[in-house]
Amino acid sequence: VLRFGEFKTKAGRLSPYFFNAGLFNTGAMLSKLADFYARTLIKAMEEGRIECDMIFGPAYKGITLAAAVAMRMAELGYDLPFAYNRKEVKDHGEGGMFVGKQLADGDKVVIIEDVMTSGKALREVLPKLKGAADVNITAMVITVDRMEKALDSDLSAVQSADKDFGVKVYSIVNINDIISAIENGVIEGKQYLDAMKQYRSTYGVEY
């Protein structure tokens, strides 16, 4: 799922790497990814950095991820309810926008998402969640934090989520982890190491 070369990002930048979470497309891959999410979330919970009593997955990619993570969390001793939203409000049957655990005032919700480029998905889903109940969005967990400043800000999408909405974002890995893995021979890509470091130097932020 990690590709090297030359890729144009949504921000119009030419990036030497691209992370395509859509390539987690087999049962074994999804199971492994869910394990990484679950362990990242559980570690933060056990260290007192995140309070969580339900998991939420924004449509569409977040639906599969939230379900898989909830299953893995249960296997690891944390049997939490989960929910997800529809893109369109259902006008028949049980109706409504949300599927799964009914949102209730005071719920401590952790959002599961694949990547965070601009924070657009968070901006779209927050008012929907708050419109359903006075929930507390305690955190968001993503796969990779590119630690990259936005076009109109010196803050990254992760930093902006905290500043604008008070939502802490936790990632399974970040760009520094990827660079370190290349340097230590854990993953291939040494021919792209200089380009990775140059890109990081040009667009990166530290925190």
Side-chain angles (χ1 to χ4, degrees):
V1 299
L2 180 63
R3 298 285 185 264
F4 297 103
E6 190 172 83
F7 306 92
K8 194 167 189 177
T9 69
K10 286 182 181 178
R13 297 166 180 163
L14 290 179
S15 170
Y17 76 104
F18 176 67
F19 186 85
N20 185 358
L23 293 177
F24 285 104
N25 54 17
T26 70
M29 286 181 174
L30 180 61
S31 177
K32 192 61 160 176
L33 181 60
D35 181 64
F36 290 142
Y37 269 109
R39 292 182 185 279
T40 300
L41 177 53
I42 288 170
K43 184 173 187 288
M45 289 168 64
E46 290 180 344
E47 291 174 352
R49 291 179 287 133
I50 293 180
E51 289 185 275
C52 174
D53 51 31
M54 76 169 289
I55 293 168
F56 181 82
Y60 287 105
K61 284 183 181 176
I63 297 173
T64 302
L65 292 175
V69 172
M71 292 169 69
R72 184 58 182 142
M73 292 283 287
E75 292 171 348
L76 294 171
Y78 290 82
D79 189 14
L80 300 174
F82 75 98
Y84 59 89
N85 66 300
R86 297 184 174 95
K87 285 283 189 178
E88 305 83 18
V89 178
K90 188 178 179 183
D91 60 3
H92 59 280
E94 79 279 15
M97 179 181 287
F98 298 98
V99 181
K101 196 262 184 190
Q102 186 173 351
L103 297 165
D105 292 354
D107 280 344
K108 297 179 178 66
V109 180
V110 170
I111 298 172
I112 302 292
E113 185 62 289
D114 60 346
V115 294
M116 190 178 204
T117 304
S118 64
K120 180 183 176 184
L122 183 61
R123 284 179 168 81
E124 288 179 349
V125 80
L126 277 180
K128 294 175 182 177
L129 288 168
K130 286 289 192 179
D134 186 18
V135 297
N136 182 8
I137 312 300
T138 57
M140 186 173 185
V141 183
I142 61 174
T143 48
V144 178
D145 180 3
R146 291 178 64 100
M147 300 176 74
E148 190 173 317
K149 67 182 78 170
L151 278 176
D152 56 353
S153 170
D154 285 333
L155 300 178
S156 72
V158 165
Q159 289 174 317
S160 294
D162 188 13
K163 176 177 175 288
D164 296 342
F165 307 111
V167 176
K168 296 278 188 188
V169 180
Y170 297 83
S171 64
I172 297 170
V173 296
N174 60 40
I175 179 59
N176 291 339
D177 296 322
I178 294 172
I179 289 173
S180 177
I182 297 171
E183 288 176 328
N184 294 322
V186 177
I187 58 175
E188 297 178 0
K190 285 204 169 162
Q191 66 270 40
Y192 298 101
L193 195 54
D194 288 343
M196 294 280 287
K197 289 181 175 179
Q198 180 58 51
Y199 188 84
R200 177 89 179 91
S201 174
T202 304
Y203 300 113
V205 293
E206 291 291 346
Y207 46 85

